[in-house]
Amino acid sequence: MRVLVVTAVPVERDAVTRAFGGTPEVLAVPGAELHRSGAFDVLAGGAGPAAAAAAAAFALAAAPHPYGLVISAGIGGGFAPAAPLGSLVVASDIVAADLGAETPDGFLPVTALGFGRDRFTPPPALVREVAAATGAATGPVLTVSTVTGTAARTAALLTAHPGALAEAMEGFGVAEAAERAGVPVLELRAISNTVGPRDRAAWRIGDALAALTEAFGKSAPVLEGWNRHDH
């Protein structure tokens, strides 16, 4: 099975491809380049849900052979204490946390406005298998367009999304593209910082990238061998 992995930036893409060893084959696709290692095609699609959706959609449409799985992967912020620095999270739900409307009574998700959707659910069996292979926690991962930087915003997100483990900026966009192509989606995040008051000096990006490489090394057999019709 061929797997498309969509990251935001080249350092994340390279962290994923390091897990497979050797030098990846570089292939051009509209607006980006794919780094192919065995069954995995990895691209850096850009930051934010719009760029991620566009990059994933182009790659899916341009593929000469259909993909069996799309993965949104990279580093992200973890909600303490459930997702500490350097840990891994596999999304049980991919949630658009800020897609909706502000009202005098608080935030309303797009679904409450009567249109659209605000979450995708990856295949539960695959989530369990990848979590078991990597030691990752499982829970909702929030997609945001603005990285959280205050305690008040952190509290508001956890109130609106109890049990959320992490936030990142691309998962929901990748999921939208995968859904339209009829391909299952997964989101895997390595935690580089704690969600809350912004403290760039406390981020551990190198540790998170190393954890991302290790995660794909451990989960590659599961991902390559997974067949959605068997679950």
Side-chain angles (χ1 to χ4, degrees):
M1 182 181 71
R2 183 151 296 281
V3 180
L4 176 64
V5 183
V6 183
T7 70
V9 293
V11 292
E12 293 172 324
R13 177 199 64 205
D14 295 344
V16 173
T17 57
R18 274 196 298 274
F20 312 126
T23 301
E25 179 186 3
V26 178
L27 306 170
V29 295
E33 59 183 30
L34 287 177
H35 287 209
R36 175 167 291 175
S37 297
F40 294 88
D41 290 349
V42 190
L43 65 83
F58 272 121
L60 286 162
H65 304 289
Y67 288 102
L69 178 67
V70 180
I71 303 175
S72 176
I75 63 176
F79 289 97
L85 297 182
S87 67
L88 296 168
V89 172
V90 181
S92 61
D93 297 275
I94 301 171
V95 183
D98 53 12
L99 182 63
E102 292 289 348
T103 77
D105 297 320
F107 177 77
L108 289 178
V110 67
T111 50
L113 301 176
F115 54 87
R117 64 188 300 172
D118 64 356
R119 72 181 55 228
F120 291 91
T121 301
L126 181 60
V127 170
R128 290 193 299 270
E129 290 177 23
V130 172
T134 61
T138 61
V141 174
L142 310 183
T143 299
V144 295
S145 295
T146 302
V147 174
T148 300
T150 67
R153 177 61 176 158
T154 303
L157 286 173
L158 288 174
T159 297
H161 307 284
L165 294 184
E167 70 168 24
M169 301 180 74
E170 293 79 33
F172 193 80
V174 174
E176 287 276 22
E179 170 75 8
R180 282 161 172 72
V183 183
V185 68
L186 189 74
E187 184 169 9
L188 175 61
R189 294 287 166 184
I191 303 303
S192 60
N193 60 282
T194 299
V195 179
R198 188 171 174 82
D199 180 7
R200 190 66 172 75
W203 288 23
R204 297 293 179 265
I205 292 176
D207 293 343
L209 292 172
L212 189 64
T213 301
E214 184 177 1
F216 272 88
K218 291 179 176 179
S219 62
V222 173
L223 299 169
E224 288 181 84
W226 182 73
N227 185 333
R228 63 176 168 175
H229 302 296
D230 293 338
H231 297 269

